[in-house]
Amino acid sequence: MAGKIFTRICTAYSRTSPWYPPSEPLLFFSVRKNQQLAMDPTQAFLLKEKCIAVDTNDKAIGEMSKEEAHLLGPNGQLPPLHRAFSVFVFNTKNELLMQQRSEHKITFPGYYTNSCCSHPLHNCSPDETDEACHVGIRRAARRRLQIELGIDPDSIELSDFKILTRIIYGAPSDGKWGEHEVDYILFLRKDVAMKPNPNEVSRVAYVSLPGFREFQGYLEKNNIPFTPWFRLILNSHLKGWWKHIDNLERIEYDPVIHRL
């Protein structure tokens, strides 16, 4: 039964590893709660990247470091609002690629989420601030798919991404770090070769829509949560879009920024 639900679950070190049965303790590591552990040097370096600061209408108003964009205020206030994206990769069997975030991640380490989540950068070439036809977001998504999952950028055209809508959400990860984003939702339906980066991704799994409830129950049983943004999208829009994945071109872009 599990083989029908989890088409492939593998460690970031081996794309061809078979899925593990539910009784296998190596499927998940514990979600890290202690943020006092030494910060991973690669993730620490990435905190210098420049994110795009935006207002609540997604108007770019400047730049800020990734560190500034994710530090909670002195009284636990959410970080400054910035632009982000979430990519949902589906194969031609209409299965969704899920990832478990690496234990090295600054926010929500060890949580399961959609295929790829990150930020367009302010000082990137080619330009990721370009808002015409959302080309900057598309460039950023393709760049991060390579970094996180090892997907060859030459295998993806910018036009392959379907942008569906935007959401605003905020969530603390712990007492120091959090998220506060205008998040673009992108779908990509394509069979892709992967080599996940273990500094970014612990494990990946392709999950079918009929099997998603059991997959979710399996995570809950193992005390593995979803990231806040994925949970919000799952509970609002995801399954409705997923049911129409074969006719994705018929889904029109929703310009409303949804506050979830």
Side-chain angles (χ1 to χ4, degrees):
M1 179 64 179
K4 296 179 181 179
I5 297 168
F6 314 120
T7 302
R8 181 169 66 253
I9 296 180
C10 58
T11 70
Y13 301 95
S14 174
R15 181 172 58 83
T16 58
S17 298
W19 62 271
Y20 295 109
S23 60
E24 173 56 65
L26 296 179
L27 177 57
F28 306 115
F29 57 78
S30 298
V31 173
R32 175 161 54 86
K33 300 296 185 181
N34 182 7
Q35 293 289 335
Q36 301 305 313
L37 297 176
M39 187 181 296
D40 174 78
T42 299
Q43 295 295 322
F45 178 79
L46 293 176
L47 290 176
K48 300 176 182 179
E49 292 181 332
K50 296 297 183 180
C51 294
I52 302 169
V54 296
D55 63 17
T56 55
N57 294 312
D58 192 32
K59 179 182 177 181
I61 57 175
E63 66 177 59
M64 67 181 77
S65 70
K66 184 179 176 183
E67 181 175 21
E68 293 171 315
H70 292 86
L71 278 173
L72 298 176
N75 297 312
Q77 303 98 320
L78 290 174
L81 191 62
H82 57 281
R83 190 172 290 165
F85 62 84
S86 292
V87 182
F88 293 72
V89 177
F90 298 84
N91 61 22
T92 52
K93 296 179 182 179
N94 295 339
E95 296 164 328
L96 173 61
L97 178 65
M98 298 286 293
Q99 67 150 282
Q100 187 179 23
R101 290 164 65 83
S102 164
E103 61 182 342
H104 303 299
K105 298 292 285 185
I106 301 299
T107 60
F108 304 102
Y111 285 53
Y112 253 91
T113 195
N114 50 284
S115 314
C116 177
C117 324
S118 193
H119 315 86
L121 300 181
H122 194 276
N123 55 346
C124 197
S125 180
D127 185 10
E128 294 181 359
T129 65
D130 190 342
E131 297 179 355
C133 300
H134 304 120
V135 68
I137 290 290
R138 297 172 191 270
R139 286 169 175 163
R142 185 166 64 178
R143 173 179 57 84
R144 287 298 302 185
L145 284 171
Q146 180 184 27
I147 291 171
E148 294 187 21
L149 296 169
I151 297 174
D152 183 357
D154 291 336
S155 69
I156 300 173
E157 299 292 336
L158 294 182
S159 59
D160 290 338
F161 292 107
K162 174 71 175 183
I163 299 182
L164 298 173
T165 192
R166 293 166 291 176
I167 67 169
I168 287 184
Y169 79 95
S173 176
D174 57 15
K176 181 177 182 180
W177 303 101
E179 300 282 3
H180 191 200
E181 301 177 330
V182 174
D183 192 19
Y184 285 71
I185 311 304
L186 295 82
F187 274 22
L188 175 67
R189 186 172 183 265
K190 199 178 189 75
D191 291 325
V192 292
M194 288 181 293
K195 188 177 180 181
N197 174 359
N199 190 260
E200 295 282 342
V201 178
S202 173
R203 290 175 175 85
V204 297
Y206 273 111
V207 186
S208 70
L209 179 55
F212 196 90
R213 178 173 293 183
E214 189 162 351
F215 175 75
Q216 184 175 2
Y218 184 31
L219 297 185
E220 290 172 354
K221 181 180 178 180
N222 286 273
N223 297 315
I224 306 295
F226 288 134
T227 58
W229 61 90
F230 178 78
R231 186 176 64 250
L232 289 169
I233 297 165
L234 173 66
N235 292 337
S236 57
H237 298 89
L238 178 57
K239 292 184 179 179
W241 290 328
W242 198 342
K243 291 176 182 177
H244 299 285
I245 193 70
D246 283 319
N247 297 296
L248 197 54
E249 68 282 354
R250 297 185 182 180
I251 304 177
E252 295 185 0
Y253 171 68
D254 180 1
V256 175
I257 301 175
H258 297 272
R259 302 172 188 273
L260 300 181

